[in-house]
Amino acid sequence: MNKKYALLLLMISCFIFDNHSQDNQKTNEIGMYAAPGFHLLKKNQSYNKLRNDQVSFGLFYMRSFSPHAKWRIGISGIYESGVRSIHPTSSYSWSSVYLELPAPFHYIITPDSRFAVYTGVGLSFRRVFYTKSTSNIEEHSYTHTTKNNKIDLEFAPSVFIGLNARLSNHFSLFLQPGFSPVKIYKKDKLKQKTPWPNFLSAEFGLIYKL
């Protein structure tokens, strides 16, 4: 069985098992967030300019299965843009739109505090649906746009730490900086690392307790 399908099956099984167990401390929550981010790119003497940034907006459902542990599943849209230049008169820029399915696990360090500190790990799956690239060579510009063409799968592990501030019995705000050490994409049955590892982001969002 393909590893990614096995992982998805495991996550679904965890939720089904969790929903059949009885525990008064279990909670159901929904939320939304915005998350700017950027890649920690190493300086390269070959490029005069090098940048790769993104912003995402997402919705999620979160289920606790102990006072210290929560599992979250969601969906988000991502806009990514970047530019690199080799010569002052030559540059290459691009923008892409992605659909992402993040699945992080949260461990709450201080569950009884109004300002709860937590940490965790996660795995995200995403596909690109639209890419526009532009090459500028001296006085000439060439633009290429790709839509839904041989959509490739990407996945990336992540680690994070966060702070959840409870505003009332139902509402809370959270701030969650995260780090992804590597991003891998799958194309033509081959898995390859992308040239844009070391991604740093920060989620800021609102949670509603059902």
Side-chain angles (χ1 to χ4, degrees), residues 85-142:
S85 62
I86 301 176
H87 189 271
T89 59
S90 301
S91 65
Y92 173 78
S93 60
W94 70 92
S95 60
S96 299
V97 176
Y98 293 84
L99 179 66
E100 183 178 50
L101 300 175
F105 169 81
H106 292 219
Y107 178 79
I108 298 85
I109 300 173
T110 56
D112 298 324
S113 173
R114 180 181 177 185
F115 298 95
V117 178
Y118 63 91
T119 186
V121 296
L123 187 65
S124 296
F125 302 87
R126 73 180 193 177
R127 289 185 183 274
V128 60
F129 284 94
Y130 172 90
T131 298
K132 180 179 180 180
S133 60
T134 302
S135 299
N136 296 293
I137 303 174
E138 295 183 348
E139 298 180 354
H140 303 282
S141 179
Y142 307 91

Side-chain angles (χ1 to χ4, degrees), residues 155-178:
F155 59 96
S158 63
V159 295
F160 54 86
I161 188 169
L163 176 66
N164 187 304
R166 188 170 68 249
L167 304 178
S168 67
N169 290 333
H170 290 282
F171 289 96
S172 61
L173 294 175
F174 70 94
L175 177 64
Q176 180 181 297

Side-chain angles (χ1 to χ4, degrees), residues 5-24:
Y5 295 117
L7 181 60
L8 288 174
L9 182 61
L10 176 61
M11 291 189 294
I12 294 172
S13 300
C14 289
F15 271 101
I16 294 175
F17 175 79
D18 182 50
N19 286 330
H20 282 82
S21 62
Q22 299 296 324
D23 189 338
N24 293 329

Side-chain angles (χ1 to χ4, degrees), residues 51-53 80-84 92-95:
R51 179 178 61 81
N52 188 221
D53 307 315
E80 183 180 75
S81 64
V83 62
R84 63 173 178 251
Y92 173 78
S93 60
W94 70 92
S95 60

